[in-house]
Amino acid sequence: MDVPTAENTGHPRRWAILAVLVISLLVVVLDNTVLNVALRTIADPDEGLGASQSQLAWAINSYTLVFAGLLFTAGILADRLGRRITLNVGLVLFGLASLVSAYAQTADQLIWARALMGLGAAAIMPSTLSIISNVFDPRERGRAIGVWAGAVGLGVAIGPIVGGLLLEHFWWGSVFLINVPVVIAGVVLVSMLVPESRDPRPGRIDIVGVLLSIVGLTLLTYGVIEGGENGFGRPEAWGTLVASVAVLTAFILYERRITFPSLDVKLFGIPQFSASVGAIGLVFFAAMGAMFFSAFYLQLVRGYGPLASGALFVPFAVAQMVFAPRSAAMVKRFGPKLVSTVGLLLVAAGLAGWMVVGATTPIWVVGALFFLMGVGMANVMPPATEAIMSVLPREKAGVGSAVSNTIRQIGGALGVAALGAVVSSSYRDDVTTATAGLPDAAREVARESISGAYGVAAQAGPGGDALIGAANDAFITAMHYASIGSTIFALLGALVAAIWLPGKPPAGASAPTTAEGLAEEQGIALVDAS
């Protein structure tokens, strides 16, 4: 191990601070993984809220859309007002919204409560990553970000198991109450250990840009979900998608011309920055969409309870916990291009395996596929995130963190929406014949989703077994189509990384690591927000 010759500029308590930030991060990750396990229960009309497939998708997307849409603002506010106070406010808001979610009486109430949780998460996530950039020396930052990314794996492991235990013994709303003690612990420890930091020369808040991004992303995801539910030929689908493109185009043009943009879009002219952003977005599009349909496969087609199905996500989590903290050493040895490309190819291989998963596939195969995906993501997220953070100075860490996390949330939300639409469309087409003899109301419920088919079958007596068999076959076929789509997007990410991410620099070579230095190499003029 090389001994640094220059003085370490990190905070004396930086590793203790990192532990506190991991606790704060867990509350956000736990929420998403717990919800995946609880989807079947929430869809049940007796034990849950009777949520439809579309409502389940919106229970996920209302959170991620608010999260993604407000991350720009949260990053700027954290740089301006202080990262510690922003983190604490986000934790408190997230905890209160969790209580509201736990006691929601209808699916629509849950969707709105989840949106409020997204508001709290928007303040939490960029604050944790920007604090890491400020308390760690740049030479240690890659390792710290690897630990930060590994905490995501820890949340993935804890969430399904704790959520499954709660669902085995309590009502569905209890899965949201687990956030409350984590929030309390986080607020206390953040107040005691984390130093306050802010940008000494903050820019003005870009209100117009934030509003344009929220509207554009909401329209985009709604259009994809509407198309999957009712067909893309309807004006509600294609009209919304066209409107989203127009609004997002206006956002980009507006950000290019103002003095204090929420996102300096000229940064995307730097290959290291844009390729890292692209790799993160593509891998989360592929992986989160696969997580969505795999939850239904495990709990319905395979018949596992919430606890057992949650335990099957553990290999994915263990892989991230083990390999993410080691990714910095891998990047130092082989360079970000090779590490990220191989990581994305491993993710693609894990997703491709779902193309041959059926109703009787040995369950260890499913666990192995999750593990392979986890190893791949553990070698994509840390180097890509570090590449994004390294092009911005410490005082602008909130903005850099916002970009990284926004792209991740957008990719995940669109992955759930797009691949969920593929599953819904294919399922409806294949199950139509089997539901032809049902009464009109029951036929519509059975055709809407596999959860609906199981509900109808439970009331159909001896004839229900045939409907369940047809629904399982239709869902597996739909899952295979969705896995093809997710694999393609993971391979696109690998192509982006292989072409544009930097390789290992020659021994003794020095490369620019700030936005200004990298932009100067490319002949790009960045916005001067000072």
Side-chain angles (χ1 to χ4, degrees):
M1 180 176 180
D2 295 331
V3 178
T5 56
E7 181 183 356
N8 192 309
T9 60
H11 193 280
R13 297 195 306 267
R14 57 191 177 279
W15 294 108
I17 292 169
L18 178 61
V20 174
L21 298 177
V22 165
I23 294 174
S24 302
L25 177 66
L26 281 177
V27 74
V28 177
V29 181
L30 278 171
D31 175 72
N32 278 327
T33 55
V34 165
L35 182 60
N36 283 334
V37 175
L39 288 175
R40 179 185 176 185
T41 305
I42 295 173
D44 189 281
D46 297 320
E47 297 182 8
L49 300 175
S52 66
Q53 190 88 357
S54 177
Q55 288 173 322
L56 291 175
W58 273 108
I60 295 174
N61 286 327
S62 64
Y63 172 89
T64 51
L65 282 176
V66 173
F67 190 2
L70 294 179
L71 274 170
F72 291 130
T73 304
I76 294 172
L77 285 176
D79 286 343
R80 172 188 289 269
L81 302 177
R83 288 142 191 152
R84 183 178 66 183
I85 190 172
T86 303
L87 176 56
N88 271 333
V89 169
L91 285 168
V92 171
L93 183 57
F94 194 94
L96 293 174
S98 296
L99 287 174
V100 176
S101 298
Y103 293 100
Q105 300 298 306
T106 66
D108 288 340
Q109 288 180 12
L110 177 62
I111 291 170
W112 285 106
R114 290 273 300 159
L116 186 61
M117 292 174 72
L119 181 60
I124 295 170
M125 186 68 84
S127 298
T128 60
L129 192 53
S130 59
I131 290 171
I132 288 174
S133 290
N134 275 270
V135 300
F136 277 91
D137 186 281
R139 292 165 294 182
E140 293 182 322
R141 186 172 54 199
R143 182 182 171 196
I145 289 177
V147 174
W148 179 86
V152 175
L154 180 62
V156 172
I158 295 174
I161 295 174
V162 174
L165 284 170
L166 290 171
L167 290 171
E168 293 281 351
H169 298 93
F170 303 102
W171 97 112
W172 66 268
S174 63
V175 301
F176 293 105
L177 292 181
I178 66 171
N179 295 332
V180 177
V182 181
V183 162
I184 294 173
V187 170
V188 171
L189 292 172
V190 167
S191 300
M192 291 174 56
L193 294 176
V194 177
E196 185 61 279
S197 62
R198 57 176 59 88
D199 184 355
R201 295 186 300 174
R204 291 190 296 270
I205 298 176
D206 173 22
I207 297 177
V208 174
V210 168
L211 292 176
L212 286 173
S213 67
I214 294 173
V215 173
L217 294 172
T218 302
L219 290 173
L220 178 61
T221 305
Y222 178 81
V224 173
I225 294 176
E226 177 66 25
E229 290 292 319
N230 301 303
F232 286 94
R234 293 164 54 91
E236 290 87 346
W238 65 260
T240 304
L241 290 173
V242 170
S244 72
V245 172
V247 173
L248 292 175
T249 300
F251 168 75
I252 293 171
L253 294 175
Y254 181 77
E255 296 298 287
R256 286 180 61 87
R257 60 182 293 272
I258 64 174
T259 305
F260 299 100
S262 58
L263 173 64
D264 185 358
V265 295
K266 294 178 182 177
L267 285 170
F268 289 94
I270 303 173
Q272 175 178 324
F273 185 89
S274 57
S276 299
V277 168
I280 289 174
L282 288 167
V283 76
F284 266 83
F285 181 101
M288 293 302 103
M291 292 290 186
F292 180 71
F293 65 66
S294 65
F296 287 95
Y297 167 80
L298 292 172
Q299 294 193 38
L300 292 172
V301 177
R302 299 305 294 264
Y304 289 102
L307 179 58
S309 62
L312 286 167
F313 286 98
V314 170
F316 176 85
V318 170
Q320 290 206 47
M321 291 171 61
V322 171
F323 288 96
R326 292 169 169 78
S327 63
M330 297 293 289
V331 169
K332 184 177 181 180
R333 181 175 181 182
F334 299 107
K337 179 193 293 287
L338 181 60
V339 173
S340 298
T341 301
V342 171
L344 281 155
L345 290 175
L346 289 175
V347 172
L351 293 169
W354 283 92
M355 299 179 197
V356 296
V357 170
T360 59
T361 299
I363 202 61
W364 68 264
V365 174
V366 174
L369 293 176
F370 280 137
F371 182 81
L372 191 60
M373 290 169 57
V375 173
M377 291 192 71
N379 287 286
V380 175
M381 288 304 300
T385 303
E386 161 64 7
I388 292 171
M389 299 301 292
S390 68
V391 303
L392 292 171
R394 284 183 172 185
E395 60 270 19
K396 299 295 182 183
V399 176
S401 176
V403 171
S404 172
N405 289 296
T406 298
I407 294 300
R408 185 170 68 178
Q409 293 304 316
I410 293 171
L414 294 181
V416 170
L419 296 180
V422 171
V423 170
S424 296
S425 298
S426 177
Y427 170 84
R428 277 200 310 271
D429 291 342
D430 286 352
V431 84
T432 298
T433 302
T435 59
L438 296 173
D440 290 345
R443 183 170 63 251
E444 288 303 313
V445 172
R447 287 184 69 246
E448 183 179 5
S449 68
I450 187 173
S451 299
Y454 269 69
V456 170
Q459 307 295 325
D465 290 341
L467 177 58
I468 288 177
N472 284 345
D473 290 342
F475 181 83
I476 289 173
T477 299
M479 185 179 72
H480 290 166
Y481 283 122
S483 64
I484 292 172
S486 62
T487 302
I488 290 172
F489 276 91
L491 290 174
L492 285 174
L495 184 63
V496 167
I499 295 175
W500 287 295
L501 279 183
K504 181 182 178 180
S510 60
T513 57
T514 64
E516 290 78 6
L518 290 166
E520 185 177 352
E521 274 196 348
Q522 303 296 322
I524 300 168
L526 298 181
V527 171
D528 181 6
S530 61

